[in-house]
Structures are given as C-alpha cells and as structure tokens.
Amino acid sequence: MASDGEYILNMVVYPREHECLRELRLLTEKHAEGFMSSPPDEAQLLTMLLKLTGARNTIEVGVFTGCSVLATALAIPDDGKVVAIDVSREYFDIGLPVIQKAGVAHKVDFREGPAQPILDEMIADEGSEGKFDFAFVDADKGNYVKYHEQLRRLVRVGGVLAYDNTLWGGTVAMPDDTPITDDDREIRDVIREFNAKIAADQRVEVVQIPIADGITLCRRVV
C-alpha cells in the first residue's frame, strides 16, 4: 500500500516537476551523500512560497548539488538573484551544468566559505540589510540559531525564513531514552533548542510543517 507521501509525489509532485529539476534530482540520488538533497515535494512548496510572496532576492545557506537553488532560480523573476552559500564548491559544480541548461545560472551568486562570516559581510554591506525577500537554510544544524539572528536582519519585514530538517527524522518528539546514535542525539538536541527558540521568538510568525524531514517557516514581523 502506498504511503501518503508516495501518493503526493506521484499525484502532484512528479507530474509537475521541471525537467531540469528532475534531471538534477536523479543525478543527485546517485551520489553517495544524495540523502542531503532537498526532496522534490519540499522544492515544490518552496517554489509556491517564492511565487506567492513575489520574492526577487533570496539567500540559501547550504547548497549541496543545488537542487533547491535550481528550484528557487526557476521561481524568481529573470532579474532576481539567489545568493547561494556553501563551504565547498565541489558538490555545487555537480549540479551547475544542469542549472546552466535550465537557463537560470545568471540568477545564482555562489559564494564559497563558512556561512557566518559571509552573512556578517552581507550585513555590513550598506544596502544589504533588509534587502532580501526569502532565505532557506539547510546546513550545519548547530548554527541554526546564529543563522536565524543574521538572516532576520537581511530579510525584510514581511519576508520569509525557512529552515529544513526541524523534525530530524521524528527524533525531536521521541522520549529522551529512545535508542538513537550519538550523532543523531546531538543533532536532535540542537534542533530541539532551535525549535524552542523559534517558537518563543515574537519577532517572527512561525509555522512548522511535517513535509519531508520537517520545515519551519518564519515570517519576519519586526
């Protein structure tokens, strides 16, 4: 029997998936670390949000092969820009030919290096604070809280910040004594801390959605 997730993928995701998104998804799935990629149902959600909010300038922290970068670049206007930040260009170069094939490479501003100093530079740049409409984070979970403080300054009031993996395989809701690996326990604990801070942050409106591995959306209000 097909699961709800499989039904959604087969009914409304795969039939509407852009051919270049499909190509990059299948290419990424062959990679040894392909599990790190944003799933297609999440990409569909982000695409809808970008179009609903009229996003033009966006930031992405954590790029991998660029599946969500491609989805973003396809969704924003031709003169839009996605600042894509990752510690390594190696994985991004896997997806770059597909991004070029899709005709949207001119919208992608890839910046290699740790995200925190890059975001600090962007904050210090006159005219960058409050310039962005949307931000998507799928990177090192231990720095989510720090990224939130930086991105909240870069994204305009009314703009959206999206954080991936905020359910961490459902472990955030499991009893503390549930047998999981030490690595999962460590990440679960920092995600729990992040979720609690976001839930209490009155500077944003928050909704957490159980799609993929959990995505938390924040609309900046102040």
Side-chain angles (χ1 to χ4, degrees), residues 33-46 49 59-64 67-69 134-145 147-148 151 160-172 187-188 190-192 194-195 198 206-218:
E33 296 180 326
F35 63 89
M36 295 197 304
S37 180
S38 299
D41 50 346
E42 185 174 75
Q44 190 180 60
L45 171 64
L46 293 176
L49 288 171
I59 305 172
E60 181 156 337
V61 179
V63 173
F64 193 42
C67 287
S68 51
V69 167
F134 195 94
F136 177 59
V137 182
D138 183 10
D140 47 322
K141 314 310 173 190
N143 284 316
Y144 267 29
V145 171
Y147 294 149
H148 180 69
L151 292 168
V160 176
L161 301 90
Y163 299 93
D164 200 13
N165 304 116
T166 56
L167 293 178
W168 200 248
T171 59
V172 293
I187 297 175
R188 177 202 65 188
V190 298
I191 289 293
R192 279 180 172 177
F194 172 75
N195 289 343
I198 291 298
V206 185
V207 60
Q208 189 171 21
I209 305 172
I211 189 173
D213 193 28
I215 183 167
T216 295
L217 303 175
C218 304

Side-chain angles (χ1 to χ4, degrees), residues 89-210:
R89 189 181 178 103
E90 178 184 357
Y91 295 143
F92 177 66
D93 282 342
I94 295 172
L96 182 56
V98 184
I99 294 172
Q100 293 170 333
K101 178 181 178 180
V104 294
H106 65 286
K107 302 183 193 179
V108 181
D109 176 6
F110 182 84
R111 303 188 187 185
E112 183 177 7
Q116 287 186 62
I118 291 174
L119 293 173
D120 280 339
E121 290 174 6
M122 292 171 66
I123 292 169
D125 179 28
E126 185 175 350
S128 288
E129 197 160 343
K131 170 186 175 182
F132 295 87
D133 307 300
F134 195 94
F136 177 59
V137 182
D138 183 10
D140 47 322
K141 314 310 173 190
N143 284 316
Y144 267 29
V145 171
K146 295 177 181 177
Y147 294 149
H148 180 69
E149 293 304 319
Q150 293 174 300
L151 292 168
R152 199 194 61 80
R153 295 178 63 181
L154 289 165
V155 170
R156 63 175 173 80
V157 172
V160 176
L161 301 90
Y163 299 93
D164 200 13
N165 304 116
T166 56
L167 293 178
W168 200 248
T171 59
V172 293
M174 294 177 184
D176 289 342
D177 59 355
T178 300
I180 55 176
T181 67
D182 290 342
D183 287 344
D184 279 335
R185 181 173 291 103
E186 181 180 353
I187 297 175
R188 177 202 65 188
D189 290 346
V190 298
I191 289 293
R192 279 180 172 177
E193 178 186 0
F194 172 75
N195 289 343
K197 287 183 178 295
I198 291 298
D201 189 348
Q202 297 302 308
R203 302 168 300 175
V204 295
E205 295 174 338
V206 185
V207 60
Q208 189 171 21
I209 305 172

